[in-house]
Amino acid sequence: MQTRSSANWISLPGYFDRHNLSSIFESSNGYGIPDLDYSIPPIPESLVPYNIRIRSQLGYHGLGIHFFLDDYRFEQCWIRPEAGLERVKAAEVVLTPDFSLFMDTPKAVQIYNVYRNRWVGKFWQTHGINVIPTLSWSDKASYEFCFLGVPQKTTVAVSTVSVTEHTKNDFLDGFSEAMRQLNPLNVLSYGKVIPEMLEICHNIRSYKASFEGLRKLRKPEEPIGENTTTKPLYSARGDTKWAAEENE
């Protein structure tokens, strides 16, 4: 990337390429949102937040890293993408960063955050990391861009943590649209599964949105899978209780 004076520079100034324009990935949409590679990534047994480090003999075996956090906690993944590579490489699978989409946020910023979500995911894929796309949306106007760059018929992730009775219908509308556009094989739900989700998608795996049991999960003497916070893939014929209740 060149500027009017860059030919005279001895070294690049800090954050010169703040928008990562030196790496433009292939895109099939008019916004230039990068296309993630199609893959069938492993399904993690548990999800741990990006800002928590696992220090044990087992490391991140069987775990996936999620970004359902305040954006400032993972902004580094965009500003300095190379700096966090070793950390995400340690996990078996990584969800793409959940840069926020809010209804009262300007549309241009929402599109930019979708771009950043896919760009970081594509950047990780080029370094051999297993990636699961994280989906988010705001209002119906966002449906035209918020699912771009995600391959059809793969595994995707959503979060229900911030869904309330007041916002449930908006969430379900977006979830239904995501299933219509992407037809995913599996959905990872961070937070309790809303019963109506099971009427829209049959293959949902839930992950309890809590740090409870995380330390116990990483004890070296315990096999992976014991006392985890995940549930098997749901069936449309199965029980439709809230996942959190079933995980008690």
Side-chain angles (χ1 to χ4, degrees), residues 101-104 135-143 146-147 158-160 162-179 194 196-197 200:
L101 303 185
F102 296 114
M103 291 185 180
D104 58 354
L135 305 181
S136 58
W137 52 90
S138 57
D139 53 18
K140 292 183 179 181
S142 71
Y143 299 170
C146 65
F147 307 123
V158 300
S159 172
T160 62
S162 61
V163 179
T164 66
E165 283 300 318
H166 178 69
T167 62
K168 184 175 77 170
N169 288 338
D170 290 329
F171 173 84
L172 291 172
D173 284 344
F175 183 75
S176 179
E177 181 65 16
M179 299 303 102
I194 301 171
E196 290 89 339
M197 292 170 64
I200 301 169

Side-chain angles (χ1 to χ4, degrees), residues 83-188:
L85 269 178
E86 291 306 313
R87 186 168 178 180
V88 295
K89 278 183 177 179
E92 291 195 353
V93 65
V94 182
L95 277 57
T96 57
D98 183 38
F99 294 107
S100 299
L101 303 185
F102 296 114
M103 291 185 180
D104 58 354
T105 301
K107 183 177 180 180
V109 177
Q110 295 185 43
I111 295 171
Y112 181 59
N113 279 347
V114 174
Y115 179 93
R116 297 200 296 164
N117 175 308
R118 307 295 190 268
W119 189 96
V120 175
K122 182 70 171 185
F123 176 78
W124 288 339
Q125 286 183 329
T126 64
H127 287 81
I129 297 170
N130 289 316
V131 168
I132 292 177
T134 297
L135 305 181
S136 58
W137 52 90
S138 57
D139 53 18
K140 292 183 179 181
S142 71
Y143 299 170
E144 70 174 273
F145 59 82
C146 65
F147 307 123
L148 295 176
V150 177
Q152 291 195 353
K153 297 183 178 180
T154 185
T155 298
V156 298
V158 300
S159 172
T160 62
V161 170
S162 61
V163 179
T164 66
E165 283 300 318
H166 178 69
T167 62
K168 184 175 77 170
N169 288 338
D170 290 329
F171 173 84
L172 291 172
D173 284 344
F175 183 75
S176 179
E177 181 65 16
M179 299 303 102
R180 186 189 71 81
Q181 290 194 30
L182 302 176
N183 190 24
L185 293 178
N186 300 298
V187 175
L188 311 187

Side-chain angles (χ1 to χ4, degrees), residues 1 16 54-55 86 108 144 187 190 197 201 209 232 244:
M1 185 175 67
F16 166 71
I54 302 298
R55 302 182 186 277
E86 291 306 313
E144 70 174 273
V187 175
Y190 184 73
M197 292 170 64
C201 178

Side-chain angles (χ1 to χ4, degrees), residues 75-88:
E75 191 72 24
Q76 182 191 47
C77 295
W78 169 253
I79 296 175
R80 300 176 59 205
E82 295 86 1
L85 269 178
E86 291 306 313
R87 186 168 178 180
V88 295

Side-chain angles (χ1 to χ4, degrees), residues 5-45:
S5 62
S6 58
N8 301 320
W9 295 349
I10 297 175
S11 61
L12 294 179
Y15 298 131
F16 166 71
D17 190 13
R18 184 64 179 266
H19 303 295
N20 294 315
L21 297 179
S22 59
S23 298
I24 302 295
F25 296 118
E26 182 178 351
S27 173
S28 60
N29 58 81
Y31 295 102
I33 294 170
D35 294 329
L36 295 176
D37 295 333
Y38 177 83
S39 66
I40 304 296
I43 303 297
E45 296 189 40

